[in-house]
Amino acid sequence: MAFDLLGKLGEDGVMGAVFSEERAVSDWLVVEAAFARALADAGAIDQARGERIAAACRLDVIDRQRLWKETRNVGYPILPLVKQIVAALSDDDAAWVHYGATTQDIMDCALALQLRDAADRLVALVGQFGDAVAALVQAHAGSVMPGRTHAQQAVPTTFGLKLAVYLDQLGRDTQRLNDARHRAAVVSSYGAGGTSAALGEKGPAVRAALAARLGLADAALPWHVARDRVAELTNAAALVAGTCVRFAREVVDLSRTEVGEVSEATGKYRGASSTMPQKSNPISAEAIIGFGVVAQSSANAMLRALEAGHERAAGEWQIEWRAVPDCLIAAASALDIAREAAEHLLVFPDRMRANLARDGGRIMAEAYMITLADHLGRDVAHESVYEAVLLSRADDLPLSEALRRSVSPELWDRIATVLPEPDTYLGNATDLCAAALRTWRTRA
């Protein structure tokens, strides 16, 4: 088995357990047991027989080494699994094991159970990450910093507003995950070709009983090859992983030596280099990016499973077996590390304020233009400030001084005392932070 170094940096154990070998085999057995009881519920077999079959669907009945050896020969695990269940029963009871079912029905019901639990885990992790971000939004709603567009200083903003945008995005991520969970947690019991022919008129009753026993919703139509429900959840997971990656890249950028506005948690040897003693690398952000990109790549692979044709896939289904666990485990891992990074993020408002002046005050160019526009109109004001910016750069002058030299003394006298400062050119930043917090705290 391949060694997973990325996983050692913080794989989410809870999600890993959802997609473990133990859980997979256990869920297949749970579904076979529920199917036997559903047959009894629908009157296809008597209740006592259904219970005896269900009682044989136990992990201790299954020789897993034999199961995987035979699976490699068959191509799928359910026939070898059923053979071992049958061997634990009388001939009369064994005759009714898996009666009217097909391999993919069993595996898809088990997958639905996993997807339901996986979605719940992701929603919980989004909530924890969001709560950590919300705390930062509240604490830094008024922490003035450079807003950056195209990686360059643009206009003043606040660190709280920067993070409020993440909080809003996490709210949408939560809704997408909840919606995908609702659609993915459905039963599959339509038999070999999707017609339920083997169960005849009892097919719908068996399916409804199976859904009730598994705690899944009924499905109005077969979905053996209609994998949009699965892809919807992996895509929702990829989107929230993308939110985490964006956050991580923000941490990387803002913690650059030349910027220094935030830092990950510190500690002896945390993020240390083996040769450069000064280094404190953003290791949490790096791990988030690693896990997040894996989640996105795996979700992209899952889209190829949508190509399955006819009434059963010929290779597309197998894509899911790797892509779904890889995507959801990686997304959960990115979220959990992002939560930890946000909870322990160090923020340096003084450095943020100092960076506002690093470009000679040119971050106030729009503010000055809007002030001049009241006197000259926007277009002429734009040209006037643009010329002042060029002069400011050429002669290494503060923008305010360059503007003073660029406009008439009369105009300068009218605007000199009303030119905005960064703290007075924040628009609705504080209100937007409050709105984001209110929406997050009242989310469904």
Side-chain angles (χ1 to χ4, degrees):
M1 194 168 184
F3 169 61
D4 178 15
L5 178 56
L6 179 60
K8 295 296 183 184
L9 296 183
E11 182 172 291
D12 182 57
V14 176
M15 189 67 86
V18 171
F19 291 102
S20 66
E21 175 185 332
E22 185 98 357
R23 171 69 187 267
V25 178
S26 176
D27 280 355
W28 297 334
L29 291 167
V30 165
V31 176
E32 287 286 1
F35 189 79
R37 291 183 171 116
L39 287 173
D41 293 340
I45 61 176
D46 62 63
Q47 291 288 341
R49 173 162 287 153
E51 289 302 319
R52 289 193 296 271
I53 294 172
C57 298
R58 305 188 314 272
L59 277 172
D60 62 285
V61 168
I62 305 303
D63 178 341
R64 260 188 264 176
Q65 187 173 358
R66 174 188 161 194
L67 174 65
W68 301 131
K69 180 180 179 181
E70 293 178 358
T71 295
R72 185 170 185 182
N73 179 58
V74 174
Y76 315 96
I78 301 305
L79 176 58
L81 185 86
V82 168
K83 291 288 187 184
Q84 294 192 48
I85 297 170
V86 163
L89 292 163
S90 69
D91 289 345
D92 286 345
D93 288 340
W96 293 93
V97 176
H98 199 71
Y99 185 88
T102 191
T103 287
Q104 192 166 351
D105 282 339
I106 303 303
M107 292 180 66
D108 276 352
C109 284
L111 175 64
L113 296 175
Q114 290 175 304
L115 295 180
R116 178 190 65 193
D117 292 353
D120 287 344
R121 176 60 177 165
L122 289 173
V123 168
L125 288 169
V126 174
Q128 293 168 17
F129 178 31
D131 286 344
V133 171
L136 289 168
V137 172
Q138 183 165 349
H140 294 284
S143 296
V144 185
M145 66 176 297
R148 298 173 173 93
T149 63
H150 305 279
Q152 299 178 4
Q153 289 197 6
V155 295
T157 186
T158 72
F159 189 56
L161 179 55
K162 176 186 285 289
L163 292 178
V165 176
Y166 287 96
L167 196 59
D168 191 47
Q169 189 170 346
L170 288 169
R172 294 191 297 277
D173 285 323
T174 300
Q175 186 61 57
R176 280 187 286 264
L177 288 167
N178 281 326
D179 290 347
R181 179 202 188 278
H182 173 74
R183 280 185 279 272
V186 295
V187 75
S188 180
S189 180
Y190 279 93
T195 64
S196 295
L199 290 172
E201 64 182 14
K202 294 187 183 296
V206 171
R207 188 178 68 251
L210 179 60
R213 286 189 172 276
L214 293 175
L216 298 172
D218 200 352
L221 288 164
W223 52 282
H224 297 133
V225 289
R227 311 309 286 180
D228 55 292
R229 291 181 175 95
V230 185
E232 182 181 16
L233 181 56
T234 53
N235 276 341
L239 285 169
V240 75
T243 306
C244 295
V245 170
R246 191 168 76 82
F247 174 80
R249 293 197 186 281
E250 192 97 58
V251 171
V252 169
D253 285 342
L254 296 183
S255 63
R256 293 179 189 276
T257 306
E258 296 80 4
V259 179
E261 294 174 359
V262 304
S263 172
E264 289 188 1
T266 58
K268 187 170 183 179
Y269 296 141
R270 191 180 194 282
S273 164
S274 63
T275 190
M276 295 172 285
Q278 85 279 12
K279 295 301 292 293
S280 180
N281 295 318
I283 56 171
S284 292
E286 292 172 359
I288 293 165
I289 292 167
F291 279 117
V293 172
V294 168
Q296 293 167 333
S297 299
S298 300
N300 189 54
M302 181 59 216
L303 294 177
R304 297 299 306 272
L306 298 176
E307 300 170 14
H310 302 294
E311 282 63 58
R312 192 73 91 249
E316 294 85 2
W317 190 29
Q318 282 79 352
I319 296 169
E320 292 183 24
W321 302 350
R322 175 62 62 85
V324 171
D326 283 358
C327 174
L328 299 181
I329 292 171
S333 304
L335 276 164
D336 196 38
I337 300 171
R339 182 267 313 160
E340 183 179 29
E343 286 179 346
H344 300 287
L345 190 69
L346 303 177
V347 182
F348 307 116
D350 290 345
R351 185 61 177 266
M352 292 175 175
R353 187 168 290 279
N355 284 342
L356 289 165
R358 285 196 63 179
D359 193 33
R362 289 184 278 272
I363 195 169
M364 299 303 294
E366 185 199 57
Y368 290 0
M369 181 193 74
I370 294 298
T371 301
L372 278 180
D374 290 340
H375 303 273
L376 305 175
R378 194 213 64 85
D379 188 58
V380 174
H382 181 279
E383 292 304 308
S384 296
V385 176
Y386 186 79
E387 291 300 323
V389 168
L390 294 180
L391 177 62
S392 171
R393 285 185 175 139
D395 291 358
D396 193 24
L397 296 171
L399 180 59
S400 58
E401 174 59 20
L403 183 62
R404 184 187 69 79
R405 298 184 186 185
S406 301
V407 300
S408 68
E410 295 78 15
L411 179 57
W412 178 253
D413 288 342
R414 292 200 296 271
I415 66 171
T417 59
V418 295
L419 287 177
E421 296 292 335
D423 295 78
T424 62
Y425 197 71
L426 295 171
N428 302 311
T430 302
D431 291 340
L432 291 169
C433 289
L437 288 168
R438 188 164 53 250
T439 300
W440 177 255
R441 290 166 179 166
T442 58
R443 71 193 186 282

